[in-house]
Amino acid sequence: MSIQVAGVSKHFGAFEALHDVSLEIAPGELVALLGPSGSGKTTLLRVIAGLEVPDAGRILFNGDDATDRRVQEREVGFVFQHYALFRHMTIFENVAFGLRVRPRALRPGEPEIARRVLRLLKLVQLDWLADRYPHQLSGGQRQRIALARALAIEPKVLLLDEPFGALDAKVRKELRRWLRRLHDEIHLTSVFVTHDQEEALEVADRVVVVNKGRIEQVGTPEEVYDHPATPFVYEFLGNVNVIESEGGRDYVRPHEIEVTAGPQSGSLAALVDHAVKIGPVVRLEVSRRDTGENLEVELPRDRFDRLGVETGAVVWLRPRRSRFFPQSAPHEAKIA
Amino acid sequence: MLFMRRSHSVLPGFGLALGFTLAYLSLLVLIPLSAAFARTFTISWEAFLAHVTAPRVVASLQLSFGAALAAAAVNAVFGLLVAWVLVRYRFPGRRVVDALVDLPFALPTAVAGIALTAIYAGNGWLGEPLLALTGVKVAFTPLGVFVALTFIGLPFVVRTVQPVLEDLEKELEEAAQSLGATPAQTFSRVILPTVMPALLTGFALAFARAVGEYGSVIFIAGNMPLVSEIAPLIIIAKLEQYDYAGATSVAVVMLVASFLLLLLVNLLQWWSRRYAENRD
């Protein structure tokens, strides 16, 4: 099912959480809403789910206006950051909940409920936990159960609010790869919220970068990383050097700076302050000789070894790629 | 779960603490109560039965336990509602309402009894219109006993349920709704089971307090034998007539009945939190 967000605004008191946000999500897509905390990404997700009512704008599912539909009627599966499992019910009953609360005429019979629940538990690879209670499970297991519970109602859309936010780093990585594979299997239109750029770039088909209640950029992970549309996207997705220049600023990624031992055309001299070796890469902290401005450069370990420079040496820098944003009105630099 | 658990605890001294607990409970609870039993055993079984099956005693026990159970049940329902409103809504005067809930705790029970009697009497603020409109008399009837017991039991339910409701994540309700549950289903299948153990505790406390209540009831009850006489009053009356054996007989019946009822509530409570941690 496709989702269309048309001109949605939402205030909480004086705080503007969403400002005239429009977005289209194609059927079967896996989209990440990426932004810092307080950017409005979770509010946008909750408006799509029907858990928040927008002040203005419409939400369309497959072209039908769903704005006035209550959350019960929207057929969305929602997964919460802190799982929100019913702690007085077994895992089986948690997953069966959505089927059991259906009106009698639509409720499947007991054998059918059992069959469906076990199929979902197999899908999330936790069928052996059916008669446990949520508190007996690990965080990663709980989140997979929460996902199975959301899928039990056969939703048209799956919405996940920071689904891996409460998990430790290793489980996070495992679970997000697993989610990607699951999505490739079931092809359900899915939207997930995250503040972790790596997570968004790794898992999503398309990334929506949100900041201060507005969408900064929408694109594939490659597009938003390689061609950031705004200074915010540049700074939020990875490290960036901001170099003051006439009438604006140049944005250069640390790994997109070429380092040489001698001068070249268009290069500038800098002093090496620190060289930090992080596994296969070396991060140089340098300062420009003309302005004293501090810059960060990243280069492969072997390249650095061949260069043969040490702390205190002079190197020459040339950006392989940079992007200029005029000083005033940063939003006008946005690519439509 | 045996008596001793071989693990290091932050505060040592399990043996000492248990010993103190037993001694303390004995001094405060067990010894006075066993004195009541001991006194009863000085009379014969037939005399005991004669005491506790006298029509006045039976009627008063029925009234005491019936009204206390009814009052605790009503408090369980409306106390939950009050706690819900206090936890979930922000309105002007919320702190005042919150403080009002504790008033039945703090008020001397005689004051409560006199105030309730004055209001619910045939010529009182509430009693008069009630009598005129519905013909229902509250003061000096069993209904009056029920009203007084409801009054003094309210804080127990509110104060035990309130913290549990505060801890109840809003996300649980949202999860239930997103799965298609109606508000009624969300309440009965998600919220109520979660607060049930606390609600049962509140019910048990309100009931226990109501069964033994004396001060606030005797004014509004009217104390008519066989109609609106409560069991604690029978005990006092017997004591005033130096009928110690009779008084302790009634007391023993009350004790045993209360203990069995509270035990039942505890079992229910244990069952309703069967899902909780550390039960494997």
Side-chain angles (χ1 to χ4, degrees), chain A residues 46 72 87-88 101 133 135, chain B residues 174 181 185 189 193-194 275:
Chain A
R46 290 171 59 87
Q72 289 98 326
R87 53 179 174 268
H88 60 284
V101 295
Y133 284 96
H135 75 88
Chain B
E174 290 178 345
Q185 285 172 323
R189 287 170 181 254
T194 315
Y275 55 85

Side-chain angles (χ1 to χ4, degrees), chain B residues 173-185:
Chain B
E173 290 157 52
E174 290 178 345
Q177 285 179 338
S178 76
L179 293 167
T182 61
Q185 285 172 323

Side-chain angles (χ1 to χ4, degrees), chain A residues 82-107:
Chain A
H82 298 287
Y83 331 123
L85 293 179
F86 306 128
R87 53 179 174 268
H88 60 284
M89 294 182 198
T90 60
I91 296 309
F92 182 95
E93 287 303 320
N94 264 282
V95 178
F97 184 86
L99 300 173
R100 292 205 194 282
V101 295
R102 283 190 183 170
R104 193 176 293 274
L106 300 172
R107 195 184 311 153

Side-chain angles (χ1 to χ4, degrees), chain B residues 100-114:
Chain B
L100 273 179
V101 169
D102 285 330
L103 222 51
F105 268 146
L107 216 58
T109 49
V111 177
I114 293 166

Side-chain angles (χ1 to χ4, degrees), chain B residues 67-109:
Chain B
L69 280 173
V74 165
N75 275 327
V77 175
F78 290 95
L80 178 62
L81 188 71
V82 171
W84 181 264
V85 168
L86 286 174
V87 169
R88 277 302 161 88
Y89 301 105
R90 293 291 169 266
F91 52 92
R94 190 178 71 92
R95 304 237 166 252
V96 178
V97 175
D98 203 19
L100 273 179
V101 169
D102 285 330
L103 222 51
F105 268 146
L107 216 58
T109 49

